[in-house]
Amino acid sequence: MSWGFLCDLLSGVNKYSTGIGRIWVAVVFIFRLLVYIAAAENIWKYEHDEFECNIKQPGCENVCFDHFFPVSHIRLWALQLIMVSTPSFLVVFHVAYRENREKHHNQKLYKSPGEIDRGLLCTYLISLILKTGFEIVFLVLFYKLYNGFEVPRLVKCDIRPCPNTVDCYISKPTEKIIFLYFLVATSCLCIVLNLSELSYLIFKYSIKCYLKRYIKKCQGSKRDCDKSEVIGHNRPAAAGQFHNSSPSLPLNIQDKCGKKLPVDLKEEGQRPPSHYTSCI
């Protein structure tokens, strides 16, 4: 099987990843993909041919093998690698969409098409959630399908067409257990890395949004304070100017209804209200 497309995908995703994301790419590429290609694939290559039962009843070995290994470990491992790497296509496609959009409009629409912000941040977070979900699902599948992460040396089978309970022997059980534990360990490591990156991005951009709002709020408060100071500074000057420029009025002015001015206005010689001056 050719894994070149997966290598190209991982190298492309590496350009748009954070530091934790690059560690994840290195773990998947070195400790999972290369181990699978170089060693694990050969161990399970002839597992069906090397599965032997102590009876030569036609069809008995095939039925027993299918019962104990409904899906081969190595094929399930390969499927896991493909499914875990697939969500990274979302990020690559989103960046390609941004680049194509800039090319179509012939102008710079983003600071950098690969910068993790706004829409690309949502895509990146979704890809992390999907990768973590696939890892957990496949670990559960491994555990349920094979009754734990163990490869027994001997299994007993009594499924028809076997005439009675027969003993069947699995080839290289110790070696398979070692690689199976290695598979589980690397999967758990990738889950931890994905959750760490998810937490890091959420925390980083939450703090960033909070600081932006706080700075805007402070700037708005400062502008309001400056405006209030300017208004307060201009009020006394305007009041003095108005007081000096207002002509003195007769003290015996009455309003339209015949009411006299208040005594305090007469004594101080202040300008009467508009409804008093309208009768002048």
Side-chain angles (χ1 to χ4, degrees):
M1 181 178 181
S2 176
W3 293 91
F5 77 97
L6 191 57
C7 296
D8 295 337
L9 170 64
L10 294 177
S11 61
V13 173
N14 195 41
K15 295 188 295 184
Y16 314 120
S17 300
T18 62
I20 302 175
R22 291 187 179 94
I23 297 174
W24 177 87
V25 171
V27 170
V28 171
F29 184 75
I30 298 173
F31 295 103
R32 300 182 73 172
L33 184 58
L34 290 184
V35 169
Y36 175 91
I37 297 172
E41 193 172 18
N42 293 327
I43 295 173
W44 274 273
K45 191 173 184 178
Y46 303 105
E47 60 175 336
H48 186 271
D49 296 336
E50 295 173 349
F51 183 83
E52 295 181 354
C53 297
N54 60 357
I55 191 172
K56 297 302 180 182
Q57 177 72 24
C60 182
E61 285 187 358
N62 289 334
V63 171
C64 293
F65 182 84
D66 182 68
H67 175 71
F68 290 107
F69 301 102
V71 181
S72 173
H73 284 88
I74 200 66
R75 290 184 178 87
L76 194 60
W77 192 351
L79 184 61
Q80 181 185 13
L81 283 173
I82 294 171
M83 296 302 294
V84 165
S85 303
T86 299
S88 300
F89 272 119
L90 296 174
V91 179
V92 176
F93 287 156
H94 197 137
V95 175
Y97 164 75
R98 284 185 166 190
E99 292 174 348
N100 186 57
R101 191 161 176 250
E102 285 188 344
K103 187 177 179 181
H104 179 71
H105 290 279
N106 290 324
Q107 58 180 339
K108 193 74 173 175
L109 300 176
Y110 309 96
K111 293 181 180 179
S112 173
E115 183 180 358
I116 301 177
D117 62 345
R118 293 181 294 180
L120 188 58
L121 174 63
C122 294
T123 304
Y124 200 93
L125 294 178
I126 290 172
S127 69
L128 288 175
I129 294 171
L130 289 176
K131 287 190 286 189
T132 305
F134 283 135
E135 294 279 14
I136 295 172
V137 167
F138 276 96
L139 284 179
V140 173
L141 278 177
F142 270 105
Y143 187 85
K144 293 292 184 180
L145 286 175
Y146 308 116
N147 297 320
F149 304 109
E150 297 287 341
V151 180
R153 299 175 182 274
L154 173 68
V155 291
K156 294 185 178 293
C157 179
D158 57 356
I159 303 172
R160 297 184 64 182
C162 299
N164 50 30
T165 302
V166 298
D167 296 333
C168 297
Y169 301 92
I170 300 172
S171 65
K172 307 173 185 174
T174 304
E175 196 173 14
K176 289 178 179 178
I177 288 175
I178 292 172
F179 276 94
L180 196 58
Y181 283 166
F182 184 81
L183 161 68
V184 174
T186 51
S187 294
C188 292
L189 177 60
C190 287
I191 291 173
V192 171
L193 290 173
N194 287 331
L195 292 177
S196 300
E197 188 175 15
L198 187 67
S199 303
Y200 165 74
L201 288 173
I202 292 174
F203 177 77
K204 176 183 176 181
Y205 285 95
S206 297
I207 294 296
K208 191 175 179 180
C209 291
Y210 173 77
L211 290 176
K212 279 185 177 180
R213 291 181 181 178
Y214 180 76
I215 291 171
K216 285 182 179 179
K217 185 177 179 182
C218 290
Q219 290 176 347
S221 301
K222 188 177 180 181
R223 282 196 297 267
D224 293 340
C225 291
D226 294 341
K227 191 181 294 184
S228 300
E229 290 179 0
V230 171
I231 294 173
H233 179 72
N234 292 336
R235 272 180 180 174
Q241 183 181 2
F242 177 78
H243 179 72
N244 295 332
S245 61
S246 59
S248 58
L249 298 174
L251 298 179
N252 57 353
I253 296 176
Q254 296 181 352
D255 64 355
K256 295 178 181 179
C257 300
K259 294 181 181 180
K260 294 183 179 181
L261 284 170
V263 178
D264 54 349
L265 291 178
K266 289 182 179 181
E267 292 175 354
E268 297 178 5
Q270 296 179 8
R271 187 179 182 85
S274 59
H275 63 277
Y276 284 103
T277 57
S278 59
C279 60
I280 298 175

